[in-house]
Amino acid sequence: MTNEAEFINALKDNKQKDKAFKMLLDTYQERLYWHIRKFVISHEDADDVLQNTFIKVYKNLHNFKQNSSLHTWMFRIAYNESMNQLYKNGKIKFLDIEDQNENSINKLQADSYFEGEEIQIRLQEAILKLPKKQQEVFKMKYFDDLKFREISEISGVNEATLKSAYYAAVKSIEEFMTRLQTI
Amino acid sequence: MSTNKKNNMKFKDDFIKSSLLDKIKDNTLGENHKEELGFEIPENYFSKSKLEIQQKVFTKKTGIFNLTSKQLKFRIPMAAAIALLFTLAVFKFNSTSELKNLPNIVLDSIKDIQPNEFKNHNNLVYEDIAIESLFINDEDVDKYLEDYVFESLVIEN
């Protein structure tokens, strides 16, 4: 089942749906987990968001119009679910953006599934100091290796804006890390 | 100009990948995140999570009643017929059931009413039916439905 159109048909066909969904889970589970984890930071939140993402994918397969690739569609759902989770976390604690970033760093260090050394904490810190859109594009481009076109479809931001945001993010991180090395 | 800009961007991209962290040993996705961001996951997380997701998805699915099912065309009239016949059976049962099988407390109540039988005929009938219907066994109803509904109606028709 190499052809994506055939695979999507199988996902929409009641007789083949469950088997095809298991294949989808095998293929995308790990990729989507890491995509989500970078946004929500803690493993517990990432686990919840991953489950919600796949439940939504399964429920909405019949609505998938194939305007984008299945890959991009799933990443978009995961991205939206991650943003919802962040919104819920921020809303519950009534935090503004800066406090949310500070909170994310604290959460990261308190997370039992974070084993980062100083350099990894600093990189996370550098990323979290970026404006929100720069953070998002940097994570999706650098770590998920998505194309700007795909990021544009996922986030709803045009490609030109994404490109400039990405390179501004790279520059800021570079400066932040260089400054740390010289201290 | 654009080429230079592009090269410059490429350089910065490479810079992050190669020298900024100098930590990338394996370029696979999970390793990339673990090495660079320090993220860890519980042992066997992905296999456990896969099972949980399948359970949630497939369990939820079984809870959904398919309204487009062709079987529904037969189920709704069948359910309506059973409900109607059940109602009829409860009321009709009054004429066929034996009063002596009822508990004493019910028989006493009925005896008290009997002198006024003609005067309060309508009330007696309905009270009698109401009281009696409380003591109809489920088995009797099931048997009646089986005998009457399925044999007389479904099979004959």
Side-chain angles (χ1 to χ4, degrees):
Chain A
M1 217 178 288
T2 50
N3 184 317
E4 180 167 307
E6 268 179 45
F7 185 60
I8 292 166
N9 285 340
L11 282 165
K12 289 181 174 183
D13 176 27
N14 280 340
K15 285 181 185 166
Q16 300 178 70
K17 193 177 183 181
D18 290 355
K19 194 181 169 191
F21 183 76
K22 283 178 189 172
M23 282 172 68
L24 192 74
L25 195 55
D26 284 340
T27 312
Y28 282 99
Q29 183 194 27
E30 199 165 343
R31 281 210 75 175
L32 289 180
Y33 171 83
W34 291 118
H35 175 69
I36 292 163
R37 177 84 186 262
K38 286 189 298 294
F39 291 118
V40 299
I41 307 289
S42 87
H43 167 71
E44 277 73 21
D45 283 350
D47 184 36
D48 287 346
V49 174
L50 182 72
Q51 292 197 9
N52 290 341
T53 299
F54 274 106
I55 289 168
K56 282 210 169 165
V57 165
Y58 188 86
K59 276 185 177 175
N60 290 290
L61 276 168
H62 63 282
N63 292 327
F64 177 49
K65 301 281 188 288
Q66 291 170 255
N67 293 331
S68 62
S69 67
L70 181 65
H71 172 87
T72 310
W73 182 67
M74 290 182 67
F75 269 82
R76 189 162 65 235
I77 293 174
Y79 169 81
N80 288 340
E81 287 297 307
S82 304
M83 295 303 120
N84 284 343
Q85 184 67 39
L86 287 178
Y87 176 73
K88 272 190 245 167
N89 291 350
K91 198 180 171 190
I92 289 164
K93 290 170 185 163
F94 303 103
L95 299 174
D96 62 24
I97 291 289
E98 275 191 24
D99 288 340
Q100 273 189 42
N101 291 345
E102 184 68 32
N103 183 53
S104 296
I105 283 285
N106 294 337
K107 203 171 176 181
L108 178 73
Q109 287 173 301
D111 189 349
S112 54
Y113 296 110
F114 174 73
E115 300 203 345
E117 295 163 12
E118 190 66 18
I119 184 97
Q120 285 132 342
I121 296 170
R122 293 295 160 236
L123 176 61
Q124 294 271 15
E125 205 177 331
I127 295 169
L128 287 168
K129 279 184 185 300
L130 298 170
K132 191 172 165 285
K133 281 294 163 201
Q134 286 186 23
Q135 281 186 40
E136 288 173 20
V137 67
F138 181 78
K139 288 172 180 176
M140 287 193 264
K141 180 70 187 159
Y142 180 62
F143 291 104
D144 292 333
D145 205 22
L146 293 168
K147 295 180 177 73
F148 283 115
R149 181 185 46 77
E150 291 175 317
I151 301 172
S152 173
E153 286 177 18
I154 292 165
S155 63
V157 179
N158 71 57
E159 281 186 52
T161 308
L162 287 172
K163 281 177 187 169
S164 61
Y166 177 68
Y167 292 111
V170 170
K171 195 167 184 290
S172 299
I173 292 171
E174 187 184 349
E175 282 171 2
F176 182 87
M177 299 302 279
T178 311
R179 205 165 50 241
L180 279 179
Q181 282 172 350
T182 55
I183 294 171
Chain B
M1 181 75 181
S2 62
T3 314
N4 289 340
K5 200 175 174 184
K6 197 175 178 183
N7 288 340
N8 190 31
M9 286 172 179
K10 180 72 181 149
F11 162 74
K12 284 181 178 171
D13 204 14
D14 288 343
F15 175 80
I16 283 190
K17 284 190 173 170
S18 61
S19 65
L20 179 65
L21 298 170
D22 199 25
K23 283 264 175 186
I24 306 167
K25 292 168 190 160
D26 186 346
N27 204 27
T28 60
L29 190 72
E31 289 306 311
N32 194 12
H33 286 79
K34 287 176 190 172
E35 291 289 330
E36 294 186 48
L37 295 173
F39 288 145
E40 286 296 329
I41 48 169
E43 209 178 326
N44 300 325
Y45 166 67
F46 288 115
S47 52
K48 285 176 190 166
S49 164
K50 201 172 288 172
L51 287 175
E52 274 179 45
I53 291 169
Q54 283 178 19
Q55 271 175 350
K56 284 192 180 177
V57 165
F58 298 143
T59 309
K60 282 192 177 186
K61 186 188 70 173
T62 55
I64 297 167
F65 190 67
N66 187 4
L67 287 172
T68 59
S69 168
K70 285 180 183 174
Q71 290 175 332
L72 209 59
K73 286 179 186 172
F74 301 100
R75 283 182 186 163
I76 289 176
M78 183 71 90
I82 290 172
L84 177 66
L85 290 164
F86 176 78
T87 311
L88 287 173
V90 168
F91 284 95
K92 208 176 173 183
F93 216 79
N94 179 49
S95 60
T96 54
S97 65
E98 294 173 10
L99 280 177
K100 54 187 171 187
N101 290 336
L102 290 172
N104 286 338
I105 190 166
V106 181
L107 288 172
D108 291 345
S109 304
I110 292 172
K111 278 175 194 164
D112 290 342
I113 299 165
Q114 272 175 345
N116 301 318
E117 193 175 353
F118 294 106
K119 195 176 169 185
N120 299 312
H121 178 75
N122 289 335
N123 288 342
L124 175 66
V125 171
Y126 290 118
E127 281 174 22
D128 192 18
I129 290 165
I131 292 166
E132 220 180 315
S133 67
L134 294 173
F135 297 95
I136 296 169
N137 291 326
D138 289 347
E139 292 79 19
D140 293 338
V141 176
D142 290 342
K143 191 173 181 305
Y144 179 78
L145 284 173
E146 272 176 31
D147 294 348
Y148 182 71
V149 178
F150 295 110
E151 287 178 18
S152 306
L153 291 180
V154 179
I155 297 171
E156 281 176 18
N157 291 331

